C-alpha cells in the first residue's frame, strides 16, 4: 500500500481503516475507508514493512524527509516505536489526534487493550532529549520519555505526592543556643529535644538521659527561633570580643534576623526556601532531617515517636525555586538514587507557595 | 590537671607526657614531662573530663574561645573526636604535629594501634563543611571528612584509579552515517559494529544478523570520524534542501569539523572534554557507553567480547574541567549512587592532559 502526504499528514485509502485503524489503532478515520496518519505513525508502518511507501519514499527517505520537516521527529519516532512495542496504542497529542490537543504532550497513550475510541487516557507522554531542559512547574500529570544520547529510553512519571505526617511533638518552651558559624549549640538541651523531637544531633556521641549538648542545623535552629522557643547568643570565628555566655540578644525578632542573616550568608536565597519547606513539613507532622548523604536537601520521616525506635525515612526532598528547569541528567541521578534507597523523590517548588512534585521511574 | 594556653598551644606539666602522650597519643613532648597540645586536642581532653581546665576555662568556655580564635575549629573538633572514638590516634597536620606540615590536610591519622612515633601515616584527612567547595585537582591521596549541616560525618577516600581495559575490536574500514540533529544514523551497519564493538544502539529494537540501522551518539560518531572510519552526510530539522542520500562531504577533515561543530552546538566545550575522555578510554581498551541513567557521562566496560554476553560495567565516569571545585553535596550524590550500583565513581579532570580521580565512601 502507498500513502500520500498532504498538509503534513499521510492519507491512506483502500482498506486502510479496517487494516490499520480499527484493528491496530493507527491514525484517524476520514470518510469511507480512508484514514489519515501523522508522520510518526506512517514512519512506523513503513519501518515495520506494513506500508510500502509514501509518495514513493521508502522508510529511510521518508524518515530523513520527516526529520527535515518536523522538529524532534527522530526522538518522537523512537518513543512511538518503543511504546508500540510495549503493546500500547497511542496518538499524537499535539494536533487533536483524536482528543483535544495538549500542547505540552507529544503522545496520549491508552490503557493496554484500549484504543482512542474508548476515550480513556493512561499516560500523557512528553518526549525529551537528554540535552533539553524541562520546566519543573506544571509537570505533574505527565510521563517524561527521556531519550538519552545513545537513543535509549527512560520513562519518568511526574505526579503530585501525598506527604502524610503523624509526628506529635512540642518543643520545650525555652531553649538557649549559641550560634557558631553555620550551626547552633544548645548546651543544656533536654533529652526529649533530640530523642522525641529529633531536633539536632548530640555533640560527639555523648549518650545520656541528662540534659546534654545538642548541635542544631541552621534551618532547625531558625525554625525554633521562629517558634519563639530558642534564644540565641553568638560566637564567630575571628570574633575576639569578650561576650559573656549569657549575652543574649534583645528578643525573638533580633534572634530571627540574626539567624536568617547567617543562613543567607552561607546559602543565599536557598536558605529562605529551605526554611519555608522545613517549616511546612514540620507543620504537617513530618520530621525533615538533612538529606546530605543522598545529595538532597531533606529526608523526611512521616512519624517519629523516638529516635531510638526510628523507621526508615520515606521521602527525599530537593528544594528548588518554582522557576527551575530540570536537566534530564540531574533528574535521572536523583530518581535513580531515590529508587536505590527505596525512597520517593520529591521536589518542593517554592514561589509564593510551595508546589510538590514527585518523580519516579516507570516501566510503561 | 590544668593547662596553660601560650601562642595558640596548650602546655601541660605534671605527669602529662606519660598520662596523655605516651599512653594515649595526645600532643607532642617538650622537655621533661611537659607536653604541648593543639587546641583541638586540649578541647577533647576537656570534653572527656580528663583535663579540668585551660587557664580556668571549662570545656564550654574553651570551646567558644577556640571557635573565636581559630577558623573551622568546631568542624575540626567534631572530626577529631569522631576519629578518636573510632580508635585512632591522630595529630594536627597543619603545624608539624609531629611530621612535616601538610597545608592541605587537617589531620594525619596513624594506623590502628600505632602512634606518631611509629612514623606511619594511614590517612591524611581534610575537614570540609557541607557548604565549602573542594578543588578537584590534587585531591587524590586525601580522605575528606565532610561535616554535614547536622554535624554528621561522612568520610570520602580520594585515590587515583586503575582503569585496565582488555577490549580488542577494530571497526570496519568504512562506514556511512547520516548526522541527524544530535545523533548519527548508520543505515547499513555491519552486525559486528554493535555486537562486538558496542558502538551505537540498534534502531527501535530491530534484531537481525544482517546489516541493520544503528544509531550512534555524537561522541561515538565523532570518535569514528576521527579514526577516518565513518563518513557523514547531514540532515537537519527545518532543512528542506533536497540533498541526495549520498551527498557526503569533501573528506574526513570536513566531516570532523562538522560533527565537532554539532557537538559544541548541543553541549558547548563539554563535548570536547567528553570526546577526549571517550577516545582515551577506547584507546586503553575500555568501552565507554552513556552514563545517563546514572547521571554520569559514561559507564565503562573493561572488556567486551560481545554485547549478548556483557558483564556489568565497572566504572561511572564524570568528565569535568580540571579547574572544577566539588560541592560536597554533589560529591555525596555521585558517590552514593555509584556505591548503590556497585560501580567505582571516577572523575576525569581534563586540562592539557587527563587526570583521573576516584572517590569512594570509607569507614575509617
Amino acid at each position: 500500500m502507498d500513502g500520500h502526504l498532504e498538509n503534513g499528514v499521510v492519507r491512506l485509502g483502500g482498506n486502510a481503516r479496517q487494516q490499520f485503524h480499527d484493528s491496530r489503532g493507527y491514525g484517524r478515520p476520514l470518510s469511507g475507508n480512508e484514514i489519515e496518519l501523522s508522520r510518526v505513525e506512517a514512519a512506523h508502518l513503513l519501518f515495520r514493512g506494513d506500508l510500502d511507501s509514501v509518495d514513493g519514499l521508502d522508510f529511510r527517505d521518508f524518515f530523513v524527509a520527516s526529520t527535515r520537516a518536523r522538529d524532534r521527529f527522530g526522538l518522537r519516532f523512537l518513543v512511538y516505536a518503543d511504546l508500540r512495542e510495549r503493546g500500547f496504542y497511542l496518538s499524537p497529542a499535539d494536533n487533536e489526534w483524536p482528543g483535544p490537543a495538549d500542547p505540552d504532550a507529544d503522545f496520549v497513550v491508552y490503557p493496554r487493550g484500549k484504543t482512542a475510541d474508548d476515550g480513556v487516557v493512561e499516560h500523557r507522554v512528553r518526549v525529551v532529549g537528554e540535552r533539553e531542559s524541562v520546566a519543573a512547574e506544571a509537570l505533574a500529570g505527565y510521563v517524561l520519555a527521556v531519550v538519552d544520547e545513545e537513543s535509549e529510553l527512560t520513562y519518568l512519571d511526574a505526579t503530585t505526592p501525598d506527604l502524610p505526617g503523624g509526628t506529635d511533638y512540642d518543643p520545650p518552651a525555652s531553649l538557649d543556643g549559641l550560634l557558631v558559624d553555620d550551626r547552633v549549640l544548645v548546651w543544656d538541651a533536654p533529652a526529649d529535644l533530640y530523642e522525641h523531637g529529633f531536633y539536632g544531633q548530640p555533640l560527639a556521641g555523648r549518650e545520656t538521659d541528662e540534659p546534654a549538648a545538642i548541635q542544631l542545623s541552621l534551618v532547625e535552629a531558625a525554625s525554633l527561633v521562629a517558634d519563639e522557643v530558642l534564644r540565641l547568643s553568638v560566637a564567630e570565628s575571628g570574633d575576639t570580643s569578650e561576650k559573656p555566655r549569657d549575652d543574649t540578644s534583645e528578643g525573638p525578632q533580633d534572634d530571627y534576623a540574626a539567624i536568617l542573616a547567617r543562613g543567607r550568608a552561607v546559602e543565599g536565597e536557598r536558605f529562605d526556601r529551605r526554611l519555608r519547606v522545613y517549616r511546612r513539613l514540620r507543620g504537617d507532622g513530618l520530621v525533615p532531617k538533612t538529606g546530605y548523604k543522598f545529595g538532597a536537601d531533606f529526608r523526611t520521616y512521616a512519624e517519629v515517636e523516638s529516635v531510638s525506635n526510628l523507621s526508615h525515612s520515606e521521602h527525599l526532598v530537593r528544594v528548588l525555586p518554582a522557576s527551575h528547569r530540570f536537566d534530564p541528567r540531574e533528574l535521572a541521578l536523583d530518581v535513580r538514587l531515590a529508587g536505590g534507597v527505596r525512597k520517593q523523590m520529591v521536589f518542593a517548588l517554592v514561589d509564593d507557595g510551595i508546589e510538590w512534585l514527585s518523580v519516579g521511574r516507570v516501566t510503561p
Side-chain angles (χ1 to χ4, degrees), chain A residues 9 16 20 30 32 36 43 49 103 141 149 154 170-171 180 190 205 225 241 277 280 302 321 325-326 336 339 343 351:
Chain A
V9 294
F20 297 129
L30 299 173
E36 61 179 26
E149 62 174 330
T154 315
D170 284 315
V180 187
V225 168
S241 67
V277 171
R280 169 75 71 85
R325 295 186 67 86
F326 290 114
R336 177 87 189 208
K343 301 183 197 299
D351 199 348

Side-chain angles (χ1 to χ4, degrees), chain A residues 21-326:
Chain A
H21 177 78
D22 294 350
S23 64
R24 294 166 61 201
Y26 285 92
R28 63 176 172 186
L30 299 173
S31 58
N33 274 329
E34 215 182 11
I35 61 169
E36 61 179 26
L37 301 168
S38 69
R39 277 184 177 273
V40 81
E41 289 173 309
H44 194 244
L45 286 172
L46 288 167
F47 176 71
R48 292 181 51 87
D50 294 329
L51 191 62
D52 300 317
S53 62
V54 172
D55 295 331
L57 302 179
D58 65 3
F59 170 66
R60 289 190 196 183
D61 288 334
F62 183 74
F63 186 92
V64 172
S66 295
T67 294
R68 287 176 175 153
R70 278 222 45 177
D71 209 30
R72 303 161 71 248
F73 177 81
L75 300 186
R76 296 173 75 250
F77 174 78
L78 289 175
V79 173
Y80 184 87
D82 185 67
L83 287 166
R84 273 271 167 191
E85 267 170 42
R86 290 172 188 272
F88 288 100
Y89 291 170
L90 64 159
S91 306
D94 51 348
N95 200 18
E96 305 186 28
W97 286 79
D102 181 347
D104 291 328
D106 287 282
F107 299 112
V108 291
V109 179
Y110 311 110
R112 258 202 191 78
K114 303 277 183 191
T115 73
D117 299 333
D118 295 302
V120 187
V121 170
E122 174 92 4
H123 300 299
R124 295 186 299 160
V125 173
R126 216 186 274 190
V127 176
V128 187
E130 176 184 345
R131 298 176 175 105
E132 300 172 69
S133 71
V134 185
E137 253 182 330
L139 192 59
Y142 290 95
V143 169
L144 290 179
V146 185
V147 185
D148 72 24
E149 62 174 330
E150 286 174 6
S151 307
E152 289 208 41
L153 303 182
T154 315
Y155 293 93
L156 300 175
D157 194 16
T159 55
T160 302
D162 192 27
L163 292 164
T167 305
D168 192 15
Y169 174 74
D170 284 315
S174 163
L175 293 166
D176 289 306
L178 176 72
L179 178 57
V180 187
D181 297 333
D182 63 354
R183 52 209 79 213
V184 169
L185 278 165
V186 180
W187 292 115
D188 298 300
D192 241 31
L193 182 67
Y194 175 71
E195 181 58 25
H196 290 169
F198 209 0
Y199 280 97
Q201 161 90 349
L203 182 63
R206 182 175 273 191
E207 280 176 27
T208 163
D209 281 343
E210 299 296 302
I214 287 281
Q215 308 166 79
L216 298 171
S217 73
L218 275 184
V219 75
E220 289 176 322
S223 184
L224 290 170
V225 168
D227 290 336
E228 302 192 5
V229 157
L230 178 67
R231 297 184 67 203
L232 292 180
S233 52
V234 176
E236 273 180 276
S237 288
D239 172 3
T240 54
S241 67
E242 282 299 317
K243 292 180 196 159
R245 194 197 299 171
D246 56 356
D247 174 26
T248 49
S249 57
E250 299 300 307
Q253 272 84 28
D254 276 11
D255 283 355
Y256 190 65
I259 199 159
L260 211 57
R262 185 66 58 91
R264 287 170 184 166
V266 297
E267 286 186 0
E269 282 182 22
R270 188 174 157 242
F271 185 75
D272 293 71
R273 285 193 293 270
R274 296 178 77 229
L275 180 56
R276 284 183 53 197
V277 171
Y278 181 90
R279 286 178 64 69
R280 169 75 71 85
L281 289 166
R282 275 273 180 195
D284 289 346
L286 292 93
V287 176
K289 295 295 283 183
T290 181
Y292 166 76
K293 279 175 191 167
F294 309 101
D297 285 289
F298 303 114
R299 64 187 197 276
T300 62
Y301 300 84
E303 193 168 353
V304 173
E305 287 197 7
S306 74
V307 171
S308 35
N309 187 16
L310 203 61
S311 56
H312 280 286
S313 58
E314 295 89 2
H315 297 92
L316 295 181
V317 179
R318 185 181 290 285
V319 178
L320 297 168
S323 61
H324 183 76
R325 295 186 67 86
F326 290 114

